[in-house]
Structure formats: C-alpha cells, structure tokens
Amino acid sequence: MSPEIHESLKAAYEDVAYGGRPNPWSHPGRLAAIATLFGLALPDSGGARVLEVGCGDGANLLPMAARMPGATFTGCDASALLMRRANDMARGLGLANVEFVEGDLREVAGSLGTFDYVIAHGFYSWVPADVRDAFLALAHGHLAPGGLVYVSYNVLPGCFVRQIGWDAIKLENAGAATARERLEGARRVRRDLAEAWRAAGGMAAMLAAELADDAGRTDGALYHDDMSGVNQPVYFTAFARHAAAHGLGFLAEAELGTMGAGGLPPDMQKIIVDADPMAREQYIDFARLRRFRQSILAAAPDVQRARLTPAALERLHVSAVTGVVQERVATGGRPGGDLLVDVLAEHYPGTIAGAELVDALVARGVPANEAAGLILRGCFAGACELHQNPLPAMPGASERPRAFAVARWQVERSEIVTNLRHEGVHLHEEDARRLLAAADGTRDRAGLAAALGSRPDAAAFADQCLDRFALTGLLES
C-alpha cells in the first residue's frame, strides 16, 4: 500500500477533527452479556482490560473508563490532534485507569499488552488493506483467553447505494483545494442529487433519503465517513473469511435485533432458517439491504463451542431499547400490547435482573416455561438489550441530584453529552446545560433553580429538566 495513502489519511484528521460519540453497542458489559447468552463464560467486565483501536478523541473509551474504575483502558490512534483531546478529557475527569498510545497501528502493535476486549468502531472500512490485516492480527495475537473483539464496518449490498453519493462527491471535488471547499462541495452535490432523485420519482425517490440527511451531520462525520480517501464496504462473508484467516470467528452482532428475520416474507424466512450460520447472515443482509454491521468476534475455538443458551438470561440484566421508550413517550407513554416492553419501560433507563424479569412476566400471566423464550425473542426483535451488570441510572431525581460526571464535564464544551447507558444525549438549551453542570450532588432542587439566576420560571424549569435528565439516563444512583 502506498505510503502516501497512509499519510493523507492521517493528515485528514488534522484538517478536520472528528468529534467522537459514545457507541453503546461497543460497551464491554453488553459484549459480555451477548457472549454469555451464547454459552461463553467471561470475567466480570468491571475488571477487564480494554483496548480501543482508532479511539479518536476518546469520546467512546473515556465514559467507559469513568463508569468502570476497576478496569483498565488503552486507546490507540494515529492523530496527534485527537490524542491531545483525549488526554485533555482524561485529565479533566481525573481518570487514572486510561492510557493513550499515539502512532501507526502497524508500528505500535508490538508494544501493546493483552486485552479481554478489543474495540474498533469506525475503523475497519476506513483504513488501507494492510492496516486491516494488522488490526486483525493484533486482535487475535493480543486477545486474552476467552476475550472478545468488536468491529464495526460498512457492508454490501446496502453500501452500493451509498457508493453513488461517495462517487458524486469525488467528481464534484476534483478541483477543490481546501477542506472547507471539499465539505461545501460534498453538501452541495448530495443536496442536488437528493432533489433530483425526489423529482424523478419511482425507485430514485425512495433512495433520495440516503442523501438528504446532511442537516444533522457534523463536518467531521461527513469528511471522514463519506469523503474518506479509503472507504471499503465488504460483503459479510468476505469479512468473516478475513477474520477466520487470523484465527477469529463470528459470534453474533452486537445489536442482536439486527440478526432476526422477523417481518420478512415467509419464503425468505425459510431460506434464512435453512441456511448455515454464515449464509444466514448474508441472506439477511441481502433481504434488508444492510449497509453497516457491528460484529462480535472471538477466537475460533470459542465460536465453535458457542451455543445459544436461553437459561443464561437469568444471570444477566435486561433493559428496554431507548428508541422503543422514546416512541412510547411520543405517544403519551401508554402501555402497549407488548407485555415485555411494558415491564422493561417501568425500569427504564435502568435495568432489571433477568431472574426478576422472568418473575415479573410470570406474575402478569406468562407461563413460567415460556418467560425466557419471550425475553429471547424480544432481544432478537430489537425490543430489549442485555447487560452483564446493572446500569446505575436513576429512574427519577433524588433529593440532591447528581448527574454523571462525564456528562457534567462535557456539557460545558458540547451540546452532546454521554449518559449512563453510554448513549449520546442532545441538550440544546443553554439553561438546561447550566443546570446539568450544577447537578453535582451538593444542591437540592431549590439550589439548582437558584443556579439559573433570575429566570422567572426557574423552579418549574429545573423540575422539568430533572425529569428529562432522569428519563435520558443522566442521573446517577
């Protein structure tokens, strides 16, 4: 691979910084829970050794480190700018269980230790082939016995559609000299293409949404995702073969709800059910035009002995999916026809122990021998998610509310903060951000209202915000 490609990719992150976000699916506690569901025994993630490759500014790694003080974390990235930001945040939060290694993965891999979890989010598809090889070699060579690897990557066939936008950007920016010109060109051509596709009607109109989402995307996301000098989507089966060549096997998707065939036509479902595990995943990608995966890998021998184990649910913790709860709130918060979701919504944003969830379902009329199956189907339908340990999120504000320390640090620098579910939460109002920063556990509601100054509705606004902070998982127990 040409050295110029590597240098140009590194320079791009200095031209336009990539603002990271927490990725809940990559959290070790969730990865461990899924491995447990498949019959693998993992140590408590609270004391794990975690490596994130391509960690950027630490926005994914550092909130984990803050929530898991007994674990140790290492972040690796080639961008000096992003490494400075990551170290600044680590110092600001007073974290002693994190270290950052700056450098090319191919050169620094030998200096790294052994890890229970290796995470690579937004990395595999956006680096040259030799770096992808180096990553998988590192993942296998530095993985502790029984460890897990999380990898997100662009996949086909869904990315064939996205490829049109990527290629149009390259054509539009052929003569652009600066990063700002390239960003303006990218937004312009995507907007114009979306308008043209909508006007064309038919299939083109249905695809226009692929290019019409720029309003909510940052410059960094557009520059490094759609405009990257390297962006290599692959078929799932090709990725699985690449992992296998390095001694790793596919265990499951981190987002279990994407593995189900529910909603597909019966004949397609039959093809999927009758296929072997690898072909099954590929058929689902074809049927759903999937464009992005978040896969969990393990050492090949571990994958070979993995078996779906519904009984393991009673040793785990379960929560509702945020999107499902948000939909309920939007419709007035009324219980629906899904008994499982009804129970989980009562505990949101926290978790309920699997054994307690079984008991709660039985108490509401579910036969005891069917409760675990109901939970399992909910996982693969995207209605609930699994955790190795309970989440410390408060369902309501205490007498002296305390917001997650990471969120309090972030809120003075950004409108997006990380909650205790390891999700990003948008706080658009300045007074809401001021209130969150003040919610450090030393002030009661009156004291928090006073922090808003002379605002006439300070008390009512503070109550409203605290309710919202609790619902979005920002308040600690």
Side-chain angles (χ1 to χ4, degrees):
M1 183 66 66
S2 167
E4 288 78 13
I5 294 294
H6 295 279
E7 289 304 314
S8 66
L9 290 173
K10 182 178 178 181
Y13 284 91
E14 309 301 313
D15 292 340
V16 179
Y18 190 95
R21 296 286 183 268
N23 177 6
W25 310 110
S26 69
H27 194 283
R30 294 198 181 186
L31 303 178
I34 292 173
T36 300
L37 180 64
F38 280 86
L40 302 182
L42 278 85
D44 190 333
S45 58
R49 297 158 295 177
V50 182
L51 169 68
E52 183 172 18
V53 174
C55 68
D57 60 6
N60 189 47
L61 194 71
L62 291 169
M64 296 178 189
R67 266 193 54 202
M68 301 161 64
T72 57
F73 296 82
T74 301
C76 173
D77 202 283
S79 169
L81 171 62
L82 296 180
M83 286 287 87
R84 286 195 298 273
R85 292 185 177 183
N87 277 301
D88 286 346
M89 184 175 175
R91 283 192 295 269
L93 292 170
L95 299 177
N97 59 338
V98 185
E99 67 169 343
F100 290 101
V101 178
E102 179 188 332
D104 188 316
L105 178 66
R106 298 168 300 170
E107 299 169 358
V108 303
S111 66
L112 301 174
T114 301
F115 301 92
D116 302 295
Y117 300 88
V118 176
I119 298 167
H121 175 50
F123 181 82
Y124 182 89
S125 289
W126 295 270
V127 294
D130 56 341
V131 181
R132 292 196 292 273
D133 281 333
F135 161 67
L136 288 175
L138 175 153
H140 181 260
H142 292 258
L143 195 64
L148 300 174
V149 182
Y150 164 96
V151 192
S152 67
Y153 51 105
N154 280 338
V155 291
L156 302 170
C159 277
F160 279 128
V161 177
R162 301 191 72 196
Q163 184 77 48
I164 300 171
W166 302 337
D167 291 345
I169 289 171
K170 292 176 183 177
L171 180 63
E172 179 73 9
N173 285 338
T178 67
R180 176 49 50 191
E181 289 174 349
R182 289 190 285 273
L183 280 164
E184 290 174 352
R187 292 190 185 277
R188 181 173 57 250
V189 73
R190 284 169 59 87
R191 182 192 64 232
D192 292 346
L193 269 178
E195 184 178 343
W197 286 4
R198 279 192 293 265
M203 181 180 295
M206 291 188 290
L207 297 176
E210 281 290 332
L211 302 175
D213 61 349
D214 282 357
R217 301 185 70 197
T218 65
D219 284 351
L222 182 61
Y223 201 76
H224 298 293
D225 292 347
D226 295 68
M227 301 169 62
S228 175
V230 176
N231 189 342
Q232 186 61 55
V234 295
Y235 280 110
F236 166 76
T237 47
F239 171 79
R241 286 194 299 271
H242 192 195
H246 291 274
L248 299 167
F250 172 78
L251 178 66
E253 283 298 289
E255 191 174 357
L256 285 178
T258 65
M259 297 182 71
L264 295 175
D267 287 348
M268 189 72 235
Q269 289 194 29
K270 185 177 187 311
I271 291 174
I272 291 169
V273 169
D274 291 344
D276 67 73
M278 295 297 101
R280 183 182 308 143
E281 291 296 315
Q282 187 60 72
Y283 276 127
I284 291 176
D285 285 4
F286 283 134
R288 299 199 187 280
L289 284 177
R290 184 180 287 176
R291 62 185 188 181
F292 185 71
R293 271 186 173 265
Q294 303 183 82
S295 296
I296 304 174
L297 308 177
D302 290 340
V303 172
Q304 289 167 5
R305 64 184 177 82
R307 296 292 183 274
L308 194 60
T309 311
L313 289 168
E314 296 199 14
R315 304 197 304 273
L316 300 172
H317 299 263
V318 190
S319 75
V321 172
T322 292
V324 173
V325 174
Q326 289 174 339
E327 184 177 344
R328 284 195 161 216
V329 171
T331 58
R334 295 180 298 276
D338 190 325
L339 185 59
L340 174 63
V341 174
D342 288 345
V343 175
L344 293 175
E346 294 171 3
H347 295 266
Y348 187 88
T351 52
I352 178 173
E356 292 179 28
L357 179 55
V358 168
D359 290 342
L361 292 171
V362 171
R364 299 193 187 197
V366 177
N369 62 344
E370 296 179 12
L374 179 62
I375 300 169
L376 189 65
R377 289 194 298 275
C379 291
F380 285 98
C384 58
E385 53 201 28
L386 302 175
H387 308 260
Q388 188 181 45
N389 297 302
L391 296 179
M394 286 282 285
S398 63
E399 183 63 29
R400 293 182 180 273
R402 183 176 72 249
F404 186 27
V406 172
R408 284 188 280 114
W409 186 89
Q410 291 172 323
V411 79
E412 297 183 1
R413 298 159 178 83
S414 171
E415 291 187 359
I416 301 177
V417 299
T418 304
N419 68 8
L420 290 155
R421 295 175 57 84
H422 203 59
E423 301 163 338
V425 176
H426 288 253
L427 294 176
H428 300 294
E429 309 104 312
E430 182 179 349
D431 279 350
R433 296 195 295 274
R434 184 181 303 151
L435 191 73
L436 185 73
D440 60 1
T442 66
R443 299 173 176 85
D444 58 14
R445 287 176 181 263
L448 289 171
L452 296 174
S454 59
R455 180 173 175 141
D457 64 340
F461 182 77
D463 287 343
Q464 179 187 29
C465 284
L466 289 172
D467 288 344
R468 192 186 347 157
F469 296 164
L471 180 64
T472 53
L474 288 168
L475 299 184
E476 292 183 294
S477 56

